[in-house]
């Protein structure tokens, strides 16, 4: 399981993921509405710098950024197809937009910039536990004092094994994701079974604490799909 192993799926079948998110099977609409509400509460509108790790085409984050404009946006992804679409979805932003075709962990670990918000949407669960811990560690290093690590992702229930999680998640996909053509749904199921390594929330909180992000708050939860804010102090 390497950071880049999930990337070919998104490169070759980006349109399948886009259809899944458009049909809202992973609760993108609800989760990103929570993200938008949260970003609105920042007091440094037009001044904060946001790094988006595994940005994909950024179609769900872009509207929040239009409402709460950052001073700088950098999106990182290994899928060239997704990044090409991101240019269009982010076109309304008036701040500098940088799209980087590179591994997200490598980018974060070598970043010399200070970030006010590090966002990651449905990408963290592709990393191994060690890689996730490295991501939290690097985020702790490059976040400003009032910085936020804002994560939208799948999370296992407490005491649920990866096997139990996969069984439940794949059953949900096959039962509820009825708008995805069967062949594409099977591709997506294969991708999930091979590449998804979601953690339990306490494990993520431990990693965050180890990097100085002592405070965490679940701002949205829809089944396994979560939005969680990690910060040094108590955030709004
Ligand atoms: C499920 S999509 C999420 C896209 C978007 N952030 C969202 O919330 O809808 C995961 C994205 O992470 C990217 N990705 C996965 N592993 C990566 C890595 N190691 N480095 C950079 N991007 C990665 C994939 O290419 C894909 O675009």
């Amino acid at each position: 399981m390497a950071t880049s192993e999930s990337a070919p799926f998104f490169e070759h079948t980006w349109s399948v993921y886009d259809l899944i998110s458009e049909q809202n099977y992973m609760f993108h609409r609800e989760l990103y509405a929570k993200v938008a509400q949260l970003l609105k509460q920042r007091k440094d509108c037009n001044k904060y710098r946001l790094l988006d790790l595994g940005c994909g085409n950024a179609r769900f984050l872009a509207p929040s950024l239009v409402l709460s404009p950052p001073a700088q946006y950098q999106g990182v992804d290994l899928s060239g197809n997704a990044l090409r679409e991101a240019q269009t979805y982010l076109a309304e932003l008036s701040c500098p937009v940088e799209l980087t075709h590179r591994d997200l962990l490598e980018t974060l670990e070598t970043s010399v910039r200070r970030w006010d918000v590090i966002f990651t949407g449905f990408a963290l669960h592709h990393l191994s536990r060690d890689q996730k811990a490295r991501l939290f560690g690097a985020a702790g290093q490059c976040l400003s004092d009032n910085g936020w690590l804002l994560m939208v992702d799948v999370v296992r229930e407490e005491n649920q094994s990866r096997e139990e999680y996969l069984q439940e998640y794949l059953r949900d996909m096959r039962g509820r994701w009825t708008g995805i053509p069967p062949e594409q749904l099977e591709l997506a199921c294969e991708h999930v079974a091979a590449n998804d390594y979601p953690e339990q929330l306490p494990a993520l909180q431990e990693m965050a604490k180890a990097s100085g992000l002592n405070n965490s708050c679940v701002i949205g939860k829809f089944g396994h799909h979560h939005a969680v804010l990690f910060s040094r102090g108590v955030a709004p």
Side-chain angles (χ1 to χ4, degrees):
M1 181 198 347
T3 50
S4 51
E5 279 183 16
S6 64
F9 172 80
F10 293 107
E11 187 65 285
H12 301 305
T13 52
W14 176 256
S15 56
V16 180
Y17 177 72
D18 205 37
L19 180 61
I20 292 166
S21 54
E22 190 178 82
Q23 302 264 335
N24 205 35
Y25 293 130
M26 295 166 70
F27 301 94
H28 278 75
R29 281 204 277 281
E30 293 82 352
L31 290 166
Y32 277 87
K34 298 283 182 193
V35 169
Q37 277 170 16
L38 192 69
L39 286 176
K40 267 196 193 163
Q41 293 180 47
R42 283 199 70 91
K43 305 205 174 8
D44 53 359
C45 212
N46 287 305
K47 293 196 185 109
Y48 74 99
R49 299 151 63 107
L50 186 142
L51 176 64
D52 186 358
L53 299 172
C55 60
N57 63 10
R59 76 182 273 189
F60 288 91
L61 186 61
S64 319
L65 303 181
V66 170
L67 293 174
S68 306
Q72 182 178 6
Y73 170 92
Q74 183 181 358
V76 184
D77 206 285
L78 278 172
S79 165
N81 289 334
L83 289 175
R84 270 186 289 284
E85 291 184 15
Q87 283 177 350
T88 310
Y89 283 110
L90 294 163
E92 268 192 67
L93 292 192
S94 49
C95 68
V97 169
E98 192 177 329
L99 294 170
T100 308
H101 193 197
R102 194 177 173 199
D103 180 83
L104 61 88
L105 189 54
E106 227 175 73
T107 307
L108 184 64
E109 287 185 325
T110 55
S111 174
V112 288
R113 294 178 184 159
R114 295 294 271 181
W115 296 100
D116 300 300
V117 179
I118 297 177
F119 176 80
T120 182
F122 291 115
L124 191 68
H125 67 275
H126 292 308
L127 308 192
S128 67
R129 178 168 288 208
D130 174 56
Q131 290 163 339
K132 291 181 193 104
R134 281 170 51 197
L135 185 142
F136 276 96
Q141 295 285 318
C142 6
L143 276 175
S144 60
D145 288 347
N146 296 321
W148 292 351
L149 175 57
L150 185 47
M151 177 200 90
V152 167
D153 212 337
V154 277
V155 174
R156 274 190 274 145
E157 297 297 339
E158 286 184 34
N159 302 319
Q160 187 176 42
S161 68
R162 175 175 181 261
E163 289 65 33
E164 288 164 343
Y165 164 86
L166 284 177
Q167 237 180 15
E168 197 175 298
Y169 201 84
L170 293 172
R171 195 173 46 239
D172 183 47
M173 287 174 77
R174 294 193 172 107
R176 186 170 61 87
W177 297 19
T178 49
I180 311 296
E183 222 172 87
Q184 297 183 13
L185 181 64
E186 262 331 287
L187 266 182
C189 288
E190 276 171 32
H191 165 80
V192 165
N195 294 291
D196 283 17
Y197 292 85
E199 299 293 339
Q200 296 173 9
L201 189 57
L204 295 172
Q205 287 164 327
E206 278 309 306
M207 292 181 210
K209 274 190 190 154
S211 68
L213 303 172
N214 292 313
N215 192 63
S216 67
C217 178
V218 176
I219 62 162
K221 178 178 180 328
F222 302 90
H224 289 291
H225 312 82
H226 287 58
V228 187
L229 171 63
F230 300 96
S231 57
R232 285 186 230 284
V234 180

